[in-house]
Amino acid sequence: MAVLKVTVWSEYRHEKENPEVAKIYPEGIHQAIADYLGMLPELEVRTATLDEPEHGLTDDVLADTDVLLWWGHKAHGEVRDDIVEKVRNRVLGGMGLIVLHSGHAAKIFQQLMGTRTGVLKWRDDGERERIWVVEHGHPIAEGLGDYFEIPQEEMYGERFEIPAPEELVFISWFEGGEVFRSGACYRRGKGKIFYFRPGHETFPVYYQPEVLKVISNAVGWAAPAAGAQTRSGRMEPLEPIGKSRADGQ
């Protein structure tokens, strides 16, 4: 089995500025996710953060990434547009992208979706979330039951300003009554994109086995797939132009 190369990206700001978050994720949200994925023999995992040169997403890193995970929240506007464009081009070329929680408002997700994906209802009161599997045969739902619950989470509620998902894997219900499309799949160019809702920074969501299972499943689903090569631009004709007309005269 070929090893998939995974890059886990996050802002790494809350953990430095908020003691409550630092207590939960002392080495950062990105590292908590990377530590789990790094235990899987089929994955080779690195991390990158906002304050690194080029946000840690240099040409060499992106060229060596099969699947990119993206967690952002408070600093979406600080992500350089030229880096966003490089990530976008890699996704269109086949790199997988997994957007987590508040990454719904990231520049890269908005560009790829073509909508204001930050538009939704929210409430950070630490209520129970029940995540229902609505596409049981989907690879991202492998190993799950009908649903799983997160004891405390931030609520996101509809309407979520995203295009209709090409595949909807999960729907969330919250203790306060709202529902949300929390596991949405898309294809853009050759790349696969998965948005997964859970992951507010003040709750230990990225240590929960079911959440990590979904993320690892999503990495496998989003991995680049071999396929026919495509070409674009001016092409020479395969057959002599005008020959069939001449033959018919």
Side-chain angles (χ1 to χ4, degrees):
M1 177 185 294
V3 173
L4 292 177
K5 297 185 177 181
V6 179
T7 300
V8 184
W9 188 94
S10 80
E11 291 173 353
Y12 196 28
R13 290 285 181 83
H14 289 282
E15 302 92 326
K16 295 178 180 178
E17 300 169 4
N18 185 333
E20 181 183 2
V21 180
K23 185 176 180 180
I24 299 170
Y25 297 109
E27 297 182 54
I29 287 171
H30 56 290
Q31 195 60 55
I33 297 171
D35 285 346
Y36 170 77
L37 294 178
M39 294 188 295
L40 304 178
E42 67 271 22
L43 304 182
E44 181 180 308
V45 184
R46 62 158 59 92
T47 63
T49 60
L50 178 66
D51 292 326
E52 295 177 43
E54 298 187 60
H55 309 324
L57 299 175
T58 63
D59 290 342
D60 288 343
V61 167
L62 287 174
D64 198 39
T65 298
D66 295 313
V67 180
L68 174 65
L69 282 71
W70 191 283
W71 192 101
H73 187 196
K74 65 185 299 181
H76 297 308
E78 296 183 40
V79 178
R80 285 168 34 187
D81 290 342
D82 63 313
I83 303 297
V84 173
E85 183 64 15
K86 288 198 300 183
V87 173
R88 175 181 174 273
N89 287 335
R90 282 287 291 125
V91 172
L92 296 178
M95 182 182 73
L97 177 66
I98 300 171
V99 178
L100 300 170
H101 191 57
S102 294
H104 68 83
K107 290 179 180 179
I108 182 60
F109 193 50
Q110 291 187 340
Q111 281 205 16
L112 289 165
M113 295 298 103
T115 62
R116 297 181 302 143
T117 53
V119 177
L120 47 78
K121 299 182 180 74
W122 65 273
R123 180 175 59 245
D124 57 355
D125 292 349
E127 58 202 88
R128 179 165 51 104
E129 177 180 6
R130 182 177 296 146
I131 300 178
W132 288 95
V133 178
V134 295
E135 194 61 63
H136 286 265
H138 200 283
I140 293 176
E142 188 273 325
L144 302 175
D146 284 347
Y147 67 89
F148 63 92
E149 293 189 351
I150 299 175
Q152 289 185 297
E153 249 294 15
E154 179 180 24
M155 183 279 293
Y156 281 0
E158 297 287 349
R159 175 137 187 7
F160 186 18
E161 192 62 34
I162 54 173
E166 296 168 21
E167 297 173 299
L168 182 62
V169 185
F170 304 117
I171 292 176
S172 289
W173 167 89
F174 293 89
E175 193 174 352
E178 289 85 0
V179 296
F180 193 77
R181 290 168 290 169
S182 56
C185 299
Y186 301 91
R187 293 175 185 262
R188 294 292 185 269
K190 294 183 178 179
K192 298 178 184 177
I193 303 164
F194 179 60
Y195 172 76
F196 188 42
R197 198 218 67 83
H200 188 60
E201 67 274 3
T202 59
F203 306 112
V205 177
Y206 292 123
Y207 297 113
Q208 184 163 335
E210 297 92 340
V211 171
L212 294 170
K213 177 64 172 173
V214 170
I215 291 174
S216 62
N217 286 347
V219 168
W221 172 83
Q229 291 186 344
T230 60
R231 295 180 290 174
S232 60
R234 176 171 171 78
M235 300 292 296
E236 293 300 317
L238 296 177
E239 309 291 344
I241 297 172
K243 184 177 185 300
S244 60
R245 291 197 298 270
D247 291 345
Q249 291 177 351

